[in-house]
Amino acid sequence: MKVAIFAGGFGTRLSEETAIRPKPMVEVGGRPILWHIMRIYAHHGFKEFVILGGYKVDFIRDYFLNYRGSRTDYTIDLKTGAVDWLQSVGEDWKVTVLDTGPDSMTGGRLKRAKHLLSDGPFCLTYGDGVSDVDIGALVAAHQASKNWCTLTAVTQPGRYGALRLDEDSARVHGFREKGATDGGLINGGFFVCEPEVFELIDGDQTTWENEPMDRMVELGKLGYFHHQGYWQSMDSLRDRMVLEATWAEGRAPWKVWKD
């Protein structure tokens, strides 16, 4: 199953970092947060990625094109260009970096990848959030349902809009705004989708979180998987500092893989 990752937005609330790089390439522990997200999926056996780039997409392209060379000792013949790799270091991943346009909204970015993702169910997430969610259990829950999409519902106080859920059917019934002290569940990303979702996206200016999800709610096709563990987005410089400190102290809950 392929994994699509939103990685094309401007990241305006993290402008201290995103003036020079796309938000998913902002580093935590010396590695882009995008790499952390991919390691989470790879730990659960999902190793084929479609990166939905846009803003400064060349930064992402260069990172993966130079991934092996930046981490492996080698000898290069400068006359012929031949490279002798002295170590076998790298990830057993297949990565597609797709330019989905600098101004596309999230739904538009996803629809531009239809030709790569429409052959079966696929995972989808944002390029700025980490979690210790059990991806395998999430996929299994989705496959056991008849939903077109299953999102991961997580607890997060503060500025996000909360979900209205039906616990008996494990379906989402709607969305609402929440206050700072509201302990309701929110959309934490980490979706599993069926190809039918592409028919709910009108074009580049469609926001994935709005019309497509609202339409699935109306059709009774949007489900949820309740994750009660760790989840954290990197929405601001403060969030990045929290993630950096957690990693530096060796207590990052999202590090589910072994070095």
Side-chain angles (χ1 to χ4, degrees):
M1 188 179 292
K2 296 176 184 176
V3 181
I5 304 177
F6 290 121
F10 291 98
T12 53
R13 288 194 291 265
L14 198 61
S15 59
E16 300 90 345
E17 294 277 358
T18 56
I20 60 173
R21 72 191 78 191
K23 187 178 180 183
M25 299 306 292
V26 174
E27 293 185 351
V28 174
R31 299 284 190 122
I33 193 168
L34 177 61
W35 176 88
H36 291 261
I37 295 165
M38 295 168 77
R39 285 300 301 263
I40 293 168
Y41 275 98
H43 171 76
H44 292 281
F46 300 89
K47 300 180 180 182
E48 189 168 353
F49 301 95
V50 179
I51 310 300
L52 307 178
Y55 172 67
K56 295 187 180 295
V57 66
D58 286 345
F59 203 106
I60 301 175
R61 285 172 168 162
D62 290 344
Y63 177 77
F64 287 108
L65 282 172
N66 298 310
Y67 190 89
R68 184 177 184 182
S70 66
R71 286 164 177 77
T72 308
D73 294 337
Y74 60 83
T75 300
I76 183 170
D77 186 321
L78 295 181
K79 184 176 181 179
T80 65
V83 177
D84 180 18
W85 301 101
L86 303 181
Q87 296 172 291
S88 179
V89 176
E91 314 290 353
D92 56 340
W93 305 345
K94 182 178 179 180
V95 182
T96 299
V97 181
L98 191 66
D99 184 357
T100 61
D103 300 315
S104 299
M105 305 302 286
T106 46
R109 296 192 189 286
L110 180 58
K111 189 150 190 174
R112 286 196 179 205
K114 180 181 177 181
H115 63 293
L116 298 171
L117 300 169
S118 59
D119 56 346
F122 60 92
C123 293
L124 171 69
T125 195
Y126 301 105
D128 63 356
V130 290
S131 176
D132 59 357
V133 59
D134 186 336
I135 304 295
L138 163 63
V139 170
H142 173 77
Q143 292 175 332
S145 75
K146 296 182 180 180
N147 296 315
W148 290 356
C149 177
T150 300
L151 60 78
T152 300
V154 299
T155 302
Q156 170 74 14
R159 57 192 179 276
Y160 301 91
L163 303 169
R164 289 193 291 108
L165 306 176
D166 182 333
E167 295 185 4
D168 292 331
S169 67
R171 289 203 174 103
V172 179
H173 277 199
F175 306 88
R176 62 183 172 85
E177 294 302 314
K178 61 178 293 193
T181 59
D182 188 339
L185 297 176
I186 66 164
N187 168 20
F190 293 94
F191 308 92
V192 185
C193 303
E194 298 295 327
E196 284 83 353
V197 301
F198 290 110
E199 304 312 312
L200 305 177
I201 303 171
D202 296 327
D204 282 353
Q205 295 309 303
T206 301
T207 301
W208 166 247
E209 300 78 11
N210 293 340
E211 296 94 336
M213 284 198 188
D214 288 340
R215 290 169 182 171
M216 281 188 279
V217 169
E218 293 171 2
L219 294 168
K221 292 295 186 179
L222 180 60
Y224 74 92
F225 176 80
H226 186 186
H227 173 58
Q228 301 184 54
Y230 180 87
W231 176 88
Q232 177 65 53
S233 67
M234 189 176 66
D235 224 28
S236 66
L237 183 59
R238 178 186 177 279
D239 292 337
R240 181 191 175 275
M241 293 171 65
V242 169
L243 290 168
E244 185 70 48
T246 304
W247 182 269
E249 293 166 6
R251 55 182 182 86
W254 71 88
K255 187 181 180 298
V256 292
W257 63 89
K258 294 182 180 179
D259 294 323

